[in-house]
Amino acid sequence: MRLYDFPNAPNPRRVRVVAAEKGIDLEYVTIDMTKRQHKTPEFLRKNPSGKIPVLELADGTCIGESIAICRYLEAIEPTPNLFGEDALEIAQIEMAHRQIELELMSQIGTSWVNGPIVAKAGLVEPIEAAKQRSDGLTKAFYRRMDKELSERDYIAGNRYSIADITAAIAIDFAGALVSLKPDVELSNLWAWHARVAGRPGYANA
Ligand SMILES: N[C@@H](CCC(=O)N[C@@H](CS)C(=O)NCC(=O)O)C(=O)O
């Protein structure tokens, strides 16, 4: 299986981490986003959204959307389980993960799109007010995480799941490229981050 990927992009990284956790070997093909290779007619045939990641199977079937790909990997290699084992746990992980995607990752994405790096590339006219708002919502979500992580070791309960993978990758991206590193005083958040970052599957992907 081939993964269309780009090194600093957070969404393909989610797939790389899930594959590493499960010991699944993928062939990585770099799509250079700085050269707009994700918008070529050839790539748009693989994913009409013009976004990475895309997983291409041996018969040429293409799957877009990082979580659709991660769910495919979970179905072909169920161990370790990352999306929940029983009805309640599946629902709890889904709830926590949806909130991380919609209330944290998407806010970081808004700050990124309206920030200086994208503006310099001349792709989007930045809206400063949108950035101010999403910066504030991101920082408020960090404080919420810090409070919740004082009561449990992982985002969705007491074990590692896809919610931790998405949250840690979003935070790494926010710190490295969006000037939204969580404050050092958020000690529960940082202790959780160290637990996640210390996993070989996370660190090496
Ligand atoms: N919901 C999609 C989002 C994919 C996405 O936004 N990928 C970024 C890279 S991290 C991208 O390709 N951006 C290019 C664009 O939006 O034009 C997923 O989870 O795969």
Side-chain angles (χ1 to χ4, degrees):
M1 291 181 290
R2 187 178 284 162
L3 187 76
Y4 293 91
D5 184 29
F6 189 59
N8 290 327
N11 285 294
R13 189 177 175 207
R14 298 202 274 177
V15 178
R16 293 203 304 273
V17 170
V18 167
E21 291 284 356
K22 291 176 175 294
I24 297 173
D25 281 332
L26 298 175
E27 178 194 344
Y28 293 101
V29 178
T30 299
I31 292 293
D32 189 339
M33 297 179 75
T34 65
K35 295 186 177 146
R36 311 286 291 157
Q37 287 178 346
H38 53 308
K39 304 298 181 191
T40 62
E42 187 194 355
F43 190 80
L44 290 172
R45 277 195 292 278
K46 299 183 191 301
N47 182 4
S49 291
K51 293 177 194 287
I52 54 168
V54 169
L55 184 73
E56 189 170 61
L57 308 185
D59 69 357
T61 302
C62 287
I63 307 170
E65 290 298 326
S66 43
I67 294 309
I69 298 169
C70 292
R71 285 192 179 278
Y72 179 81
L73 299 182
E74 174 106 330
I76 63 170
E77 179 47 73
T79 307
N81 174 284
L82 294 170
F83 284 87
E85 298 271 13
D86 58 28
L88 179 59
E89 196 191 35
I90 290 167
Q92 286 172 327
I93 291 174
E94 181 71 15
M95 173 180 68
H97 188 228
R98 291 284 291 169
Q99 292 177 355
I100 291 292
E101 286 194 304
L102 297 173
E103 298 177 40
L104 177 66
M105 197 176 193
S106 72
Q107 296 303 331
I108 291 167
T110 301
S111 291
W112 161 252
V113 164
N114 292 291
I117 297 177
V118 172
K120 202 169 165 199
L123 295 171
V124 178
E125 188 65 40
I127 303 169
E128 182 55 28
K131 179 168 168 19
Q132 291 298 325
R133 183 174 160 80
S134 51
D135 282 1
L137 289 169
T138 298
K139 288 174 188 166
F141 201 90
Y142 289 163
R143 291 193 292 275
R144 167 181 160 183
M145 283 178 72
D146 188 65
K147 187 164 177 290
E148 292 180 0
L149 288 164
S150 70
E151 292 157 9
R152 52 183 185 256
D153 283 349
Y154 292 97
I155 302 280
N158 280 318
R159 71 149 176 114
Y160 182 67
S161 75
I162 187 67
D164 300 290
I165 294 171
T166 293
I169 287 172
I171 288 172
D172 288 350
F173 178 74
L177 291 167
V178 198
S179 301
L180 280 172
K181 194 170 183 166
D183 290 339
V184 283
E185 297 81 56
L186 301 177
S187 57
N188 301 310
L189 186 157
W190 282 113
W192 156 83
H193 187 276
R195 278 192 287 282
V196 173
R199 295 180 65 90
Y202 188 90
N204 300 327

